[in-house]
Amino acid sequence: MVRKTDDLDQSSFVATDYELNSAFTFENWVVGDANELATSAAIAVSEQPGKQYNPLLIYGSSGLGKTHLMEAIGNKVQELEPNAIIRYITTDDFMNDWVDAISKKKTAEFTSNYENVDILLVDDIQMLQGKTVFKKIFNIFNKITKSQKQIVMTSDVLPKDIPGLNTRLVSRFMQGVAYDIQKPDYPTRLAILKNKAEETGMNIDIQTLSLIAEEVDSNVRELEGAFNTLTLMARSGKKINVANAEKILEHLNITKQKVITIEDVQRVVAEEYDVSLADLIGKKRNSDIVMPRQVAMYLIRHLTDISLPKIGQAFGGRDHTTVMHGTEKIADLIEKDLTVKQRIETISAKIKERQ
Ligand SMILES: Nc1ncnc2c1ncn2[C@@H]1O[C@H](COP(=O)(O)OP(=O)(O)OP(=O)(O)O)[C@@H](O)[C@H]1O
């Protein structure tokens, strides 16, 4: 990602603007069961921006290709319409720009920069968690979609699951379509590796590629990491074969991820706070039980893909709104209190270690 403009004097406001990554194209994108719908929607948007699927939201866990797919839309539009104004921005930068514009009294410039686009690509909208720029975003988004210009967003969760996100904004974000990207299955992982091998012009035997595809099933970023290490090894004169690939996987400490369950989290949290499992999931409401219970709910939300109602069920049949409230409370505490943040990080690490 290359920042285009920022060498102006201190008092002028310049909205952040990134060059699109030219490697993130549809040509370099492997389609599989896990991303088929999101891919079709992305292609449709790139062919007719602003006409349908507006806004388009692509969501899913880290390293599964959300940014790639979003930028592929931008690259395609740029290719079809070289004069199109395409703005790619991370949510963090968007918010920093807003603060900057306010401090420089340049909010009109801010608005005009963001509204006057053909496509606005906004990465990582989950970063809006706990932020207060709702009204501005809401208005800008309205203006863009009303003028039949396109918005594409990525997030690691659905807007309704972003703690503390304003409900009007949630429904604004969901007014178009939302498609998720799941973890790629084995054939897709293998196809991604084959593409990479072709791109780099390396002659890697299928057994070695299959081994990596088989073992690295967490996300595509890690898959690429293992592949890149392998090619580095080759450049330093070592042979690329199954034996060396095994060494790399061992060295990178890559083993198939086991799925973290509700019980895994409940057990570790109960131990850490020295409460019984029965109390953790039971009816007691005293504060020394409520806090660990909410921590457990928070960690389940963050470490698993389990839905709010299912989590509620696993805590004595509680309602999903109770889980949401508990999760938000802990997210707030983490923001405000460093000790809580560190403690929860330690517990989270313990849960992962036990896998
Ligand atoms: N289906 C795919 N085909 C080809 N490359 C892929 C695919 N999925 C992911 N990748 C590659 O995996 C890497 C990670 O993808 P990307 O950065 O888009 O993930 P992300 O979901 O946006 O992650 P994060 O939420 O952490 O930002 C990129 O190099 C991307 O090109």
Side-chain angles (χ1 to χ4, degrees):
M1 216 159 36
V2 181
R3 208 176 162 136
K4 269 200 275 197
T5 41
D6 57 3
D7 51 350
L8 289 140
D9 80 73
Q10 303 264 308
S11 61
S12 56
F13 168 78
V14 180
T16 306
D17 196 2
Y18 289 112
E19 298 270 9
L20 293 172
N21 183 337
S22 59
F24 286 174
T25 61
F26 287 119
E27 287 72 30
N28 292 341
W29 177 253
V30 177
V31 186
D33 285 351
N35 61 29
E36 208 177 353
L37 289 176
T39 307
S40 307
I43 292 173
V45 164
S46 72
E47 287 168 351
Q48 288 198 304
K51 296 283 180 289
Q52 50 177 343
Y53 305 144
N54 199 13
L56 168 64
L57 170 67
I58 304 164
Y59 68 100
S61 306
S62 182
L64 294 181
K66 301 180 296 293
T67 304
H68 183 138
L69 196 53
M70 181 168 75
E71 291 202 36
I73 297 174
N75 279 316
K76 188 72 190 173
V77 174
Q78 191 94 82
E79 181 190 318
L80 299 173
E81 282 287 338
N83 293 326
I85 303 172
I86 301 166
R87 189 175 280 283
Y88 168 81
I89 183 90
T90 66
T91 299
D92 261 348
D93 286 324
F94 181 88
M95 290 185 298
N96 290 338
D97 279 3
W98 177 234
V99 172
D100 187 39
I102 292 176
S103 75
K104 290 174 174 164
K105 301 195 170 39
K106 303 278 186 204
T107 53
E109 281 87 335
F110 174 91
T111 309
S112 127
N113 261 289
Y114 280 105
E115 280 182 358
N116 294 318
V117 292
D118 292 299
I119 304 196
L120 183 64
L121 307 170
V122 192
D123 219 348
D124 295 328
I125 59 156
Q126 77 279 356
M127 299 306 285
L128 287 172
Q129 169 174 349
K131 299 292 188 302
T132 49
V133 284
F134 300 134
K135 212 166 156 217
K136 191 77 228 163
I137 297 184
F138 188 84
N139 291 341
I140 289 179
F141 272 42
N142 261 354
K143 182 81 192 292
I144 295 177
T145 48
K146 275 197 183 134
S147 357
Q148 299 217 319
K149 306 296 183 188
Q150 179 73 43
I151 296 172
V152 184
M153 302 169 286
T154 74
S155 174
D156 62 11
V157 288
L158 275 170
K160 70 177 174 51
D161 293 328
I162 301 174
L165 190 65
N166 171 292
T167 46
R168 277 180 80 208
L169 207 50
V170 171
S171 63
R172 190 74 201 76
F173 286 166
M174 294 303 291
Q175 232 158 39
V177 290
Y179 286 111
D180 65 335
I181 300 187
Q182 298 279 340
K183 282 186 188 179
D185 54 12
Y186 170 76
T188 311
R189 298 199 297 273
L190 186 58
I192 290 174
L193 289 176
K194 281 183 179 165
N195 269 10
K196 287 253 137 211
E198 218 167 274
E199 256 171 49
T200 49
M202 291 211 159
N203 192 8
I204 306 179
D205 64 89
I206 188 71
Q207 286 82 357
T208 305
L209 293 181
S210 308
L211 173 78
I212 300 175
E214 177 66 44
E215 289 301 313
V216 188
D217 67 348
S218 48
N219 65 52
V220 184
R221 190 169 289 126
E222 285 206 353
L223 190 68
E224 288 187 341
F227 179 85
N228 291 340
T229 315
L230 195 71
T231 56
L232 272 180
M233 197 172 183
R235 287 206 183 95
S236 67
K238 296 216 172 65
K239 261 190 125 174
I240 298 193
N241 55 26
V242 168
N244 280 336
E246 268 168 356
K247 278 190 205 141
I248 285 174
L249 295 175
E250 209 173 294
H251 174 72
L252 293 175
N253 207 3
I254 288 175
T255 42
K256 276 194 171 179
Q257 283 197 340
K258 298 215 178 71
V259 177
I260 295 174
T261 64
I262 289 182
E263 292 71 33
D264 294 333
V265 179
Q266 288 175 333
R267 220 172 301 120
V268 176
V269 171
E271 268 171 42
E272 286 295 315
Y273 284 91
D274 201 17
V275 296
S276 73
L277 251 183
D279 281 347
L280 190 77
I281 61 179
K283 297 270 174 253
K284 283 189 188 163
R285 296 169 129 258
N286 36 320
S287 61
D288 48 345
I289 297 287
V290 171
M291 166 88 173
R293 188 178 291 142
Q294 291 177 332
V295 168
M297 289 173 175
Y298 172 88
L299 285 168
I300 295 167
R301 283 298 283 158
H302 283 77
L303 297 174
T304 76
D305 294 330
I306 299 166
S307 68
L308 290 167
K310 281 219 175 99
I311 301 173
Q313 270 166 28
F315 283 85
R318 286 180 164 80
D319 191 72
H320 76 279
T321 52
T322 311
V323 181
M324 206 149 79
H325 169 73
T327 310
E328 282 172 12
K329 202 141 178 235
I330 300 301
D332 264 5
L333 271 177
I334 288 175
E335 284 242 322
K336 288 186 197 126
D337 188 333
L338 189 63
T339 328
V340 174
K341 182 171 184 262
Q342 284 166 344
R343 184 159 194 201
I344 289 173
E345 278 170 4
T346 312
I347 300 173
S348 172
K350 280 197 179 150
I351 295 165
K352 289 181 195 156
E353 262 168 35
R354 294 217 188 154
Q355 294 308 298

